[in-house]
Amino acid sequence: MAKIRLLFGTGIAAWFAIKLYGLGTWTWEQSNQAGIFWNLACVTGLAALLSYVHRSEPTFIQRWKNVAKTTVLYGLVLSCSMGIWYYALVPETINQRKKEQLELLEEFVNDPNALGAVQDSNAALGQQSSEEIFTQQAANLEVFFSPLFFIGTVLMVWIFTAAVLSAIFAAVMPRIWNAHPI
């Protein structure tokens, strides 16, 4: 159990360290990719380790329940940590990204060729002016970068990932280690 707690705490602490290192040295995309890959490695490692620990449970459902309990909790704590990072510790990173996206949107609606091509391919946009399109898409960006939407999406993704990886490892681990004939 000590290894599991160590991996749990180290995973979150290392994610904060990766994000801290990425400030000013990486682009938004590079920082996100590094964070996502680290988090995926931690969730995978946690699911594998827990599946190994619970490999002798007699049924798949029991193994999955025991493995998923901790991995889903990790996904919850990870999502809360991401919310703290992006909206409390370093809110300027997400605000800067939102500003960049609004600038790109403004460039797009001010380019008659690009806007015309999109309007031609999308009947719903065909009747709207560039100002209406900008207003509508800017409102979408406000929602996308809002704390509730961001944390909710992150929470959904990491909990789903944790549950699926828990199921996979709970099903496979007893076969690998031959602890229980299935």
Side-chain angles (χ1 to χ4, degrees):
M1 255 353 218
K3 288 180 186 178
I4 293 167
R5 287 190 194 113
L6 181 64
L7 181 60
F8 201 100
T10 303
I12 300 294
W15 181 82
F16 275 110
I18 289 168
K19 296 306 277 186
L20 188 61
Y21 175 77
L23 282 177
T25 57
W26 291 336
T27 65
W28 170 272
E29 290 81 8
Q30 290 170 326
S31 178
N32 276 351
Q33 287 174 355
I36 288 168
F37 286 133
W38 175 255
N39 292 335
L40 185 58
C42 288
V43 170
T44 303
L46 194 58
L49 182 61
L50 286 162
S51 294
Y52 177 76
V53 169
H54 295 287
R55 71 188 182 279
S56 60
E57 298 277 338
T59 65
F60 164 74
I61 296 296
Q62 189 63 36
R63 284 190 308 271
W64 185 21
K65 184 177 101 175
N66 289 330
V67 172
K69 212 182 314 180
T70 304
T71 55
V72 168
L73 178 62
Y74 183 81
L76 175 67
V77 172
L78 175 63
S79 299
C80 292
S81 299
M82 293 174 83
I84 290 168
W85 174 262
Y86 284 115
Y87 293 100
L89 296 177
V90 193
E92 58 272 4
T93 60
I94 205 147
N95 290 332
Q96 179 184 2
R97 182 63 176 175
K98 181 170 60 171
K99 183 181 172 187
E100 290 171 3
Q101 292 301 310
L102 286 170
E103 289 170 359
L104 287 172
L105 176 62
E106 190 171 357
E107 286 177 26
F108 170 75
V109 296
N110 289 331
D111 182 1
N113 294 330
L115 183 60
V118 170
Q119 285 178 314
D120 290 342
S121 66
N122 189 336
L125 296 177
Q127 303 302 322
Q128 294 181 345
S129 69
S130 62
E131 292 82 20
E132 291 171 329
I133 292 171
F134 178 82
T135 303
Q136 180 184 25
Q137 296 304 316
N140 289 343
L141 286 172
E142 288 295 327
V143 168
F144 182 73
F145 286 104
S146 71
L148 185 62
F149 181 82
F150 180 82
I151 295 169
T153 304
V154 165
L155 183 63
M156 184 176 58
V157 166
W158 286 114
I159 286 178
F160 179 77
T161 302
V164 168
L165 287 173
S166 296
I168 291 169
F169 280 104
V172 171
M173 195 59 71
R175 292 184 173 138
I176 293 173
W177 292 99
N178 211 8
H180 180 67
I182 297 177

